[in-house]
Amino acid sequence: MEKIERYIYAVTKRLPESQRQDVADELHSLIQDMLEENTQGGAVTDEAVNQVLLQLGHPRTLAQEYRGGKKYLIGPELYDLYMFVLKIALISVVALFTAVFIFQVILNPVHILDYFIDYIVSFFTTSIPVVIGWTTFGFALVEYFSQGQLEKVDLNKGWHPSNLPAIPDSNKQIKRSESVVSIVFYVLIIVFLSFSSEYFGVWTFHEGELSGVVPFINEASYSSFLLLALIILAFGIVKECLKYIYERWTKSLLTYTTVLNLISIAFVLFVMTTMEIWNPNFMQELVQQGIVNEGSNGYETVRLIWEQFTFWIFVLLLIGLVWEIISGVIKTFQGKK
Amino acid sequence: MSNANEHIEKLMQELRRGTITIGALSQLDEPRYGYSLVTTLKEKGIQVEPGTLYPLLRRLEKQGLLKSQWDTNEARPRKYYLLSDTGKEVLSQLHDEWLNIVSSMNRLLNEGGKKDGED
């Protein structure tokens, strides 16, 4: 009976390879048993076969019963994380493309319309599909290779009423949107620093178009600078993720923040004292570009600003890192008294 | 009215799902193949579709409550299922739980009947 074979094939092709043969054999003997009972030992007609197969139901339903449980591309255990990552990634990409667009317009304002069209079109043709595609693909791979292990993750495990988050106290609370915005911001800086080092400086324009850039950073030590920046920024992202998870200032969040910031501070101090990361020829290059004339009052002012700026930026960075710890301490222990 | 029927159907489905497992386990202290189990259960008043029972037997086997063996001696090869040691233990506990549920439910339903008076 060819129809029986076709039915069995339709069921088993939806099952994992390892089960197919066994299920097929079992269905075979089941269908034979059912036919025998329905025809009471008489001749097996086409109609009888139809009856039996109809009784067994749609192959898809039967296969679903065999697989047991539901099939997910991304299961409920991963879904929340997936949505979080996707949200961040999408916001980052939109922000990045917007930044690139603004950048292009500044460099070349005449072509604003072309850039704008590219900007809009790229959302639908590349950026958004790519982000959604890869994020989904990554999570789907995890789901696929977890082979049902994820279902064993007991979401209630280790839960105790004492872990209940406090009702948000406006002082201690960290808004999730703030963390998201910060993460996007960090991602943008990372992308900018990694891919457009040559634009990180003073821009000079000639007849409305960018004619040259006097870099802030010493090109010889750019890679060290980049490494330092990336480490501090990556720490920043980790901190924001923690804030997103905790949603308020707690002792553990404070501990993590403090540790990360102390490491960052050590890095900053190390770089500040051992490396020359600022462009040593900054002033000369400014003169060459014709922005200031050597010996003029303007030159002296710019030189002062440059020296102060390069010094204070480190100080501000350090103050910022220290302040984050202090404000964390204040917010954590506020209201406990 | 059809609305009530819909509800009844759904609730009955949920009710049956658990009972079929206990019912199947209860009949497997000696080896049986799927279709004979369908027939026996039907004779004893438990309606179950082969399309439900066969996958259920495989799941129970995978969970270790049943063991199975192909009998290829007869004209038609059949897969026989039998309670494992774990299965026996599970069944005996389920049995007690079931009796508890039945007596509790009886008490509930009977009390309810009394309060509502006649009708």
Side-chain angles (χ1 to χ4, degrees):
Chain A
M1 274 284 152
E2 195 215 348
K3 207 181 277 169
I4 298 176
E5 298 304 327
R6 269 158 51 200
Y7 183 85
I8 292 176
Y9 173 73
V11 175
T12 53
K13 76 171 180 188
R14 294 181 163 91
L15 300 178
E17 186 79 46
S18 57
Q19 300 178 15
R20 281 184 196 163
Q21 192 53 51
D22 204 56
V23 171
D25 291 344
E26 209 179 4
L27 279 179
H28 245 289
S29 66
L30 168 65
I31 291 170
Q32 296 302 334
D33 280 334
M34 289 171 81
L35 277 174
E36 199 174 275
E37 174 157 321
N38 284 11
T39 57
Q40 300 293 339
V44 172
T45 59
D46 200 42
E47 184 51 31
V49 173
N50 284 346
Q51 281 297 325
V52 166
L53 297 186
L54 280 171
Q55 202 189 334
L56 283 175
H58 197 301
R60 196 193 306 131
T61 322
L62 186 55
Q64 232 163 38
E65 287 275 354
Y66 268 113
R67 277 198 313 252
K70 298 213 162 40
K71 280 222 121 181
Y72 295 107
L73 183 63
I74 292 164
E77 297 83 7
L78 286 179
Y79 184 78
D80 286 341
L81 183 64
Y82 167 71
M83 286 310 282
F84 172 59
V85 171
L86 192 61
K87 215 188 296 174
I88 300 270
L90 279 178
I91 296 174
S92 300
V93 160
V94 170
L96 176 68
F97 275 64
T98 310
V100 168
F101 168 66
I102 293 170
F103 202 64
Q104 285 173 324
V105 171
I106 294 172
L107 293 185
N108 208 342
V110 187
H111 298 297
I112 180 162
L113 193 64
D114 291 341
Y115 291 141
F116 187 70
I117 292 170
D118 279 351
Y119 169 67
I120 298 297
V121 169
S122 68
F123 281 137
F124 298 99
T125 57
T126 46
S127 54
I128 291 178
V130 164
V131 168
I132 295 182
W134 280 103
T135 314
T136 310
F137 182 65
F139 274 87
L141 276 186
V142 173
E143 181 74 43
Y144 180 79
F145 285 108
S146 66
Q147 299 278 7
Q149 290 300 309
L150 282 171
E151 282 167 36
K152 291 186 191 146
V153 174
D154 186 358
L155 293 176
N156 291 324
K157 195 180 153 199
W159 186 82
H160 188 271
S162 60
N163 317 346
L164 280 173
I167 293 170
D169 162 347
S170 56
N171 286 324
K172 279 188 181 185
Q173 202 197 0
I174 303 167
K175 283 206 187 105
R176 287 198 154 179
S177 55
E178 279 173 22
S179 313
V180 173
V181 169
S182 306
I183 294 175
V184 170
F185 186 65
Y186 284 131
V187 171
L188 283 182
I189 301 181
I190 289 178
V191 172
F192 180 75
L193 289 181
S194 314
F195 296 108
S196 38
S197 58
E198 67 269 27
Y199 291 113
F200 190 47
V202 174
W203 298 0
T204 54
F205 291 90
H206 184 68
E207 288 175 3
E209 294 203 4
L210 191 72
S211 59
V213 177
V214 178
F216 290 137
I217 306 297
N218 181 1
E219 273 165 56
S221 58
Y222 191 77
S223 54
S224 339
F225 165 76
L226 189 62
L227 185 67
L228 166 83
L230 289 187
I231 289 172
I232 293 180
L233 290 167
F235 281 178
I237 292 180
V238 172
K239 278 186 291 191
E240 294 305 326
C241 289
L242 289 170
K243 285 182 191 166
Y244 184 93
I245 294 165
Y246 283 101
E247 270 191 285
R248 66 197 184 96
W249 281 99
T250 64
K251 277 184 193 161
S252 15
L253 178 58
L254 179 64
T255 314
Y256 291 130
T257 307
T258 309
V259 170
L260 289 175
N261 281 11
L262 289 178
I263 299 175
S264 305
I265 290 171
F267 262 115
V268 173
L269 289 174
F270 174 73
V271 168
M272 202 176 144
T273 49
T274 60
M275 277 186 249
E276 191 176 12
I277 70 158
W278 302 110
N279 183 1
N281 304 320
F282 184 74
M283 290 314 295
Q284 284 101 299
E285 285 177 34
L286 276 188
V287 172
Q288 277 165 22
Q289 292 284 344
I291 295 174
V292 289
N293 293 317
E294 196 157 6
S296 68
N297 279 341
Y299 179 89
E300 267 312 298
T301 318
V302 173
R303 197 183 59 82
L304 260 173
I305 292 175
W306 170 245
E307 279 172 6
Q308 295 294 313
F309 163 77
T310 50
F311 171 72
W312 281 99
I313 200 161
F314 276 125
V315 175
L316 286 176
L317 190 56
L318 291 176
I319 292 177
L321 289 167
V322 173
W323 174 247
E324 194 178 25
I325 300 178
I326 296 173
S327 79
V329 171
I330 295 173
K331 285 180 176 158
T332 307
F333 293 101
Q334 215 169 39
K336 282 209 170 173
K337 290 152 209 165
Chain B
M1 192 61 216
S2 72
N3 206 356
N5 281 341
E6 230 170 73
H7 286 305
I8 291 169
E9 207 164 289
K10 257 188 201 154
L11 290 169
M12 280 310 293
Q13 225 176 7
E14 280 174 34
L15 261 179
R16 273 198 212 106
R17 201 172 293 153
T19 56
I20 287 171
T21 310
I22 306 180
L25 288 175
S26 74
Q27 303 301 306
L28 287 171
D29 45 358
E30 54 190 59
R32 283 168 170 279
Y33 63 95
Y35 198 63
S36 79
L37 198 55
V38 174
T39 327
T40 316
L41 288 176
K42 198 195 272 179
E43 276 165 14
K44 297 188 175 163
I46 302 286
Q47 277 280 0
V48 53
E49 292 295 325
T52 311
L53 187 73
Y54 273 66
L56 173 67
L57 290 174
R58 285 187 80 86
R59 266 202 298 282
L60 292 172
E61 185 195 358
K62 201 175 164 198
Q63 290 165 2
L65 303 187
L66 299 179
K67 2 181 221 188
S68 75
Q69 200 170 13
W70 278 95
D71 179 6
T72 46
N73 293 331
E74 286 174 56
R76 186 172 304 151
R78 282 176 178 135
K79 196 176 187 184
Y80 280 79
Y81 291 92
L82 176 68
L83 279 178
S84 69
D85 290 339
T86 326
K88 281 178 195 156
E89 205 181 310
V90 168
L91 174 63
S92 93
Q93 290 211 19
L94 278 180
H95 190 115
D96 294 344
E97 295 291 343
W98 175 255
L99 292 180
N100 278 336
I101 292 177
V102 169
S103 67
S104 308
M105 285 307 293
N106 278 341
R107 225 174 301 138
L108 278 178
L109 292 175
N110 291 337
E111 271 173 23
K114 265 180 216 159
K115 267 183 206 158
D116 288 347
E118 57 274 351
D119 183 65

